[in-house]
Amino acid sequence: VQLQASGGGLVQAGGSLRLSCAASGRTFSNYDMGWFRQAPGKEREFVAAISRSGVRLYYADSVKGRFTISRDNAKNTVYLQMNSLKPEDTAAYYCGLRVRGSMWIRPQTEAEYDYWGQGTQVTVSS
């Protein structure tokens, strides 16, 4: 499986960005997907997850109401729409794909994902 994240950049506080993560190598619609982020000197943290059908969503409290995860299974792509960005959102953002399991369990730890993209940098200036 290969995951290619894109869409990061530099934005002012209050602005918006949309990240994309394109998958190849597996039947994308069979797997849950997630976004994580890692700021310098900090551990990677959960941001959002979406079920294989796109119906079930789960967000970290820190982004709830500002970020929206979605997917287009026809395009093998998962998105993260980020609005009302804050300087504390500055981080490298990673997409993950979860192969194991068939039930939605709100996967929110790194260990629950099997494949990762390379990361895309988001920098929010104040």
Side-chain angles (χ1 to χ4, degrees):
V1 175
Q2 291 189 335
L3 301 175
Q4 182 71 40
S6 62
L10 174 64
V11 64
Q12 289 187 333
S16 299
L17 281 174
R18 189 176 82 153
L19 307 183
S20 299
C21 176
S24 61
R26 281 189 179 260
T27 305
F28 180 73
S29 59
N30 288 348
Y31 307 111
D32 301 335
M33 299 290 296
W35 285 97
F36 285 68
R37 65 187 181 187
Q38 187 168 19
K42 294 187 177 181
E43 294 185 352
R44 192 173 296 189
E45 65 174 3
F46 170 75
V47 175
I50 187 167
S51 64
R52 58 206 65 190
S53 67
V55 171
R56 294 179 174 85
L57 312 176
Y58 188 59
Y59 296 95
D61 287 343
S62 58
V63 306
K64 203 173 294 182
R66 300 188 298 122
F67 291 10
T68 302
I69 189 171
S70 62
R71 65 192 295 163
D72 185 338
N73 286 341
K75 295 183 178 180
N76 288 358
T77 302
V78 63
Y79 304 98
L80 186 67
Q81 177 67 44
M82 305 185 296
N83 298 329
S84 302
L85 282 161
K86 304 175 182 179
E88 50 263 45
D89 295 318
T90 295
Y93 283 72
Y94 298 87
C95 57
L97 183 148
R98 173 178 167 84
V99 173
R100 76 198 81 164
S102 58
M103 295 181 63
W104 172 248
I105 59 167
R106 296 183 176 181
Q108 56 187 293
T109 67
E110 287 186 78
E112 293 176 288
Y113 290 82
D114 302 288
Y115 297 94
W116 294 94
Q118 84 289 0
T120 184
Q121 179 66 36
V122 172
T123 303
V124 184
S125 62
S126 57

